Structures are given as structure tokens and as C-alpha cells.
Amino acid sequence: MFSYRGISRISRTASSYNRCRWLYCSTPHQQLSPSSRFRSFMESSKEVLGCRVNYSWISRPFSSGGPQPQYQRSSVEDQVDPFSLVADELSIVANRLRSMVVAEVPKLASAAEYFFKMGVEGKRFRPTGAECYGNNVILLMATALNIQISKPASENVVDMFSTDLRLRQQSIAEITEMIHVASLLHDDVLDDADTRRGIGSLNFVMGNKLAVLAGDFLLSRACITLASLKNTEVVSLIATAVEHLVTGETMQMSTSAEQRSSMDYYLQKTYYKTASLISNSCKSIALLTGQTAEVSMLAYEYGKNLGLAFQLIDDVLDFTGTSSSLGKGALSDIRHGIVTAPILYAMEEFPELRSVVDQGLDDPANVDLALEYLGKSHGIQRTRELAAKHASLASAAIDSLPENDDEDVQRSRRALVELTHRVINRTK
């Protein structure tokens, strides 16, 4: 267990939540040793968000009547395009994914590759901001954590090692994508969804049975690739993420009235369903690279907080977006009886809303009433602010990584920070 005694703190700017940036104080950040930076970050992430030690990924709700937060970039020259940096490599991974899901039974192969077709591959922080997750983050993290390899007698050995390492890191991206798509296929069956990413869902097009089997097939392919890495710690991390996906979905299906009104319960479920896979994948990248436990935990913290930030903004967009921009029906969650952060915050301001929620949101009249209370509350604003806090912690995790003078490493780290801005400011 790591110590939470920090040498310095990340403190909130005194002016307002507008910038929602965290400043290192006490000791200049760049002068801290790597281990001190790690302790500083871990204490700060716990203290800033009021996290519990046993659930370090839970953030307690907070009050603010200030304006909508706008996540500001530090300087124009520091900005990089997170998508162009790995565009070529993403194409390689996408092509490899399509070849990996080939099956002996043509119908199963067609179902398994449904979301890997050109133009609709995986959930990956596209420039449009339409969806988050996966390969962009993982490949950028792989470069951001690059370590200097001592040159042996032959530089060809270094090149061979670097190539092999990158292929193994790409495998994590492929595994993550297959697990993620499998979870979507299963979720669509459970939710009786008819669209996904702006096109017909697989269960709607080919039926529930084939959608479930296609999801199972993708999971089996992911397991085969995972086993080929021959790293028990990485296998354990990814297996845990799969367990969390199932646990989170079960939590969403079986909430009691008290749990449905709990922000802690909601964020725990959100971590399981949304942030666990990317956070454990980022940590796996660090382990394959040969990083220390502290650096591996920083990679994990980046993925965790980025995933939570994305989902919180997704909660907002479910109320403020449109069906065409979201690729799914607007008000999708609340019409399925799912209570998300904006409604939870509205319930804090208007306790009478809880009785409406307890009566059931399968009644259209109750949905309309809940939306009326939400419109009078600061629920949307407070959810954006909480998302901005998580995005700030993700950015701080990258800032806390050990110094590295390599230009590619620095560029990838700036790209990971840039992704935190784009998540917060996206409109679809």
C-alpha cells in the first residue's frame, strides 16, 4: 500500500472554478523526486475530491453556484493533436482487429466484425468527440511512458526489443477494444437498444442470440491474445476489468431506492462500467514497459479520472444533446429508469424529486416532472464541474510522471493532457 503523505499539494485556484486547474505549491513540482511527486499526487487526488481510502475513485458531490467551468489550455504552443500522433498506428491496429475476428462460421464472423468495419471501429476519442475510449489513449500512453533502453553491443537488439515491446502494447489496445465492443453488444441486448454509434445495433439487425454469441466470441479472442502476452499481472488486471464490467451492469440493473439516490453508489457503478477497463489497460501498458509501481499507478489514475470525466459529460449530453449528435436517443438514460449525476444533484436541491424517482421513471409523467426539477436546479452545471475536477486529476497524473527529455514522449504527454480538455469541452 502506498503512503498518502505528500510533500506538496495540488491546491485549487482561489479565483473560481472557471479554469478548474490545480497548481502545485509548497515545493516546486519539477524539483520533487519521482516518488515524492507520486505521493504528492495521490494525497492531492484524495484530498481535493474528498475521496475515501477504500474507494479512491469516488468523488463526493460539492456545491458551487459559479459559472459553467471552461477547462483552459496553458499555452497554444503546448497543444498537440492527439489524433494525428497515432493515426497511422490506429489504422494498423484496426486492420489487425478485423483479421482477428474472423470465424469459421460466416454468420458469426459477420456479427463479430460488425463494429470493426471501416468508419465505425471502436470507441476512441475521435476528433469529433463522438465517443471515448481505447486505442488513442493506450497508444499515446505507450509512448508517454517510453523508457530509455540501455544500448548493448548491437543496436539491432535495441530495435528488436523496441519493436517487440510496441507490438505487445498494441495487443493491449486490441484486447481492450474487443472487450469493450463485446460489452456493448451485451449491453444492447440487455437494454433492448435499436441503435449504436448512429447505426442499427447488432441485436436489432441480427437478433439477440447472435449478438450475445458475437460478444462471447470477441471475449474469447481477447483472452487468447491476452494469454499470448505471458504476463500474469497484466492478465489479472484485464480480468478484473471484465469482472467490473459485469458487476457495474448488475449494479445498474438491481438498485434499491436508497442506492438509486446515492452519488457514491452511482460513481462506484460508473467506475466499474466506464473507467475500470481504460484505467487497468493504461496500467498494463506501464507494466509491459517496465515502469515502477508508482508510475504504473499514475497511468491507472489518468485512465480512471479520464473515464469518469467522460461519463459525467455523457450524463450531461444525455439531457442537452440530440439523437443525431449522440448516436443514440436523447434522454436515453432517464427513459430507461437510470438516475445519473445531474438528477442526483437536482435531488439535493429539491428533496421532493426523490419521491418522483422512487415512484418510477417508466411513467412518462414522472420523467417530465423530473426534467422540470432538473431545469430549475444546478444539476447540469455541478455535473460539469465534477467532470472538470476529474479531468484536472487526469492531467495532474501526467504532470507527475518522471521527467523525460525525449521529444516523442513529451509530445504524447501533451496529447494526453489535451484529451482531458477535449473531453470536458465536447458537445457530442
Side-chain angles (χ1 to χ4, degrees):
M1 183 69 70
F2 296 111
S3 170
Y4 286 99
R5 291 184 300 109
I7 294 179
S8 68
R9 291 185 177 182
I10 302 172
S11 64
R12 191 179 63 204
T13 54
S15 55
S16 68
Y17 283 109
N18 278 2
R19 295 192 300 137
C20 198
R21 301 282 293 170
W22 307 104
L23 304 177
Y24 287 88
C25 58
S26 181
T27 304
H29 176 58
Q30 296 301 326
Q31 295 178 17
L32 294 175
S33 67
S35 60
S36 297
R37 285 191 200 177
F38 174 79
R39 290 196 301 271
S40 173
F41 171 79
M42 293 302 291
E43 176 174 315
S44 301
S45 64
K46 179 167 75 82
E47 181 174 315
V48 167
L49 293 182
C51 299
R52 298 176 178 177
V53 174
N54 56 335
Y55 294 133
S56 63
W57 34 264
I58 289 182
S59 309
R60 292 177 181 164
F62 64 97
S63 300
S64 172
Q68 296 280 355
Q70 293 296 315
Y71 202 38
Q72 302 294 326
R73 294 159 172 78
S74 54
S75 69
V76 174
E77 63 183 33
D78 284 343
Q79 294 175 33
V80 292
D81 184 353
F83 313 105
S84 63
L85 285 184
V86 292
D88 293 340
E89 197 171 6
L90 280 172
S91 296
I92 294 172
V93 170
N95 290 332
R96 195 179 298 148
L97 276 168
R98 281 189 287 272
S99 67
M100 291 172 69
V101 298
V102 173
E104 294 180 12
V105 181
K107 199 168 186 179
L108 178 60
S110 178
E113 71 173 0
Y114 188 72
F115 287 118
F116 293 113
K117 293 176 182 176
M118 195 67 68
V120 292
E121 307 99 327
K123 201 172 188 181
R124 62 166 69 125
F125 283 122
R126 296 188 183 90
T128 59
E131 290 185 294
C132 145
Y133 277 133
N135 298 343
N136 285 81
V137 171
I138 290 171
L139 295 176
L140 287 171
M141 184 64 73
T143 304
L145 297 179
N146 194 23
I147 57 177
Q148 199 71 31
I149 303 170
S150 300
K151 293 187 178 181
S154 172
E155 291 192 8
N156 290 334
V157 176
V158 175
D159 293 337
M160 188 182 303
F161 178 81
S162 299
T163 300
D164 179 67
L165 174 60
R166 196 66 180 191
L167 287 172
R168 288 164 64 81
Q169 291 171 331
Q170 288 173 355
S171 292
I172 296 295
E174 294 155 7
I175 292 164
T176 301
E177 188 78 344
M178 286 189 283
I179 292 172
H180 177 63
V181 172
S183 73
L184 297 183
L185 297 180
H186 289 164
D187 284 355
D188 285 346
V189 172
L190 292 172
D191 298 339
D192 198 24
D194 54 13
T195 60
R196 168 68 66 178
R197 298 174 179 168
I199 63 175
S201 61
L202 183 62
N203 56 297
F204 180 77
V205 175
M206 298 186 179
N208 286 341
K209 291 182 179 179
L210 198 56
V212 171
L213 290 172
D216 292 345
F217 177 74
L218 289 176
L219 286 174
S220 68
R221 289 290 187 184
C223 289
I224 292 171
T225 306
L226 185 59
S228 71
L229 295 176
K230 295 181 172 60
N231 186 308
T232 55
E233 193 168 2
V234 170
V235 170
S236 179
L237 285 173
I238 301 300
T240 297
V242 174
E243 178 188 349
H244 285 170
L245 285 169
V246 177
T247 302
E249 188 64 36
T250 305
M251 289 173 68
Q252 183 167 289
M253 292 171 55
S254 56
T255 54
S256 65
E258 184 176 351
Q259 290 168 337
R260 198 179 301 117
S261 302
S262 167
M263 180 64 80
D264 280 358
Y265 186 87
Y266 172 72
L267 288 172
Q268 180 184 4
K269 179 205 71 176
T270 298
Y271 167 77
Y272 285 156
K273 279 179 60 71
T274 304
S276 177
L277 180 58
I278 192 63
S279 60
N280 282 294
S281 296
C282 286
K283 186 175 181 180
S284 296
I285 287 290
L287 293 174
L288 289 179
T289 309
Q291 293 287 357
T292 65
E294 292 179 346
V295 171
S296 298
M297 185 58 72
L298 288 172
Y300 168 89
E301 287 290 326
Y302 175 85
K304 176 194 72 175
N305 284 293
L306 193 72
L308 290 173
F310 180 88
Q311 186 57 50
L312 287 163
I313 294 298
D314 219 38
D315 293 347
V316 169
L317 294 178
D318 193 48
F319 291 104
T320 63
T322 63
S323 298
S324 59
S325 66
L326 296 174
K328 63 179 181 178
L331 302 178
S332 169
D333 289 334
I334 193 169
R335 294 193 190 283
H336 282 89
I338 301 171
V339 179
T340 57
I343 293 293
L344 290 171
Y345 279 131
M347 288 170 62
E348 289 186 10
E349 294 182 57
F350 299 98
E352 57 269 32
L353 174 57
R354 176 165 181 169
S355 63
V356 176
V357 171
D358 290 345
Q359 289 172 22
L361 295 173
D362 50 348
D363 184 346
N366 285 342
V367 171
D368 291 341
L369 192 55
L371 293 176
E372 183 179 335
Y373 278 113
L374 177 63
K376 295 186 294 184
S377 74
H378 296 89
I380 296 293
Q381 176 183 318
R382 293 176 70 189
T383 302
R384 286 190 181 277
E385 290 171 343
L386 181 57
K389 281 191 170 184
H390 280 292
S392 291
L393 285 173
S395 178
I398 299 302
D399 291 341
S400 299
L401 292 172
E403 292 183 35
N404 191 312
D405 295 331
D406 184 87
E407 289 185 8
D408 289 336
V409 171
Q410 292 181 358
R411 194 178 299 113
S412 293
R413 291 181 182 184
R414 291 200 302 272
L416 289 170
V417 171
E418 173 66 17
L419 282 176
T420 68
H421 301 298
R422 298 197 181 197
V423 163
I424 294 304
N425 294 314
R426 69 191 180 95
T427 57
K428 59 182 180 177

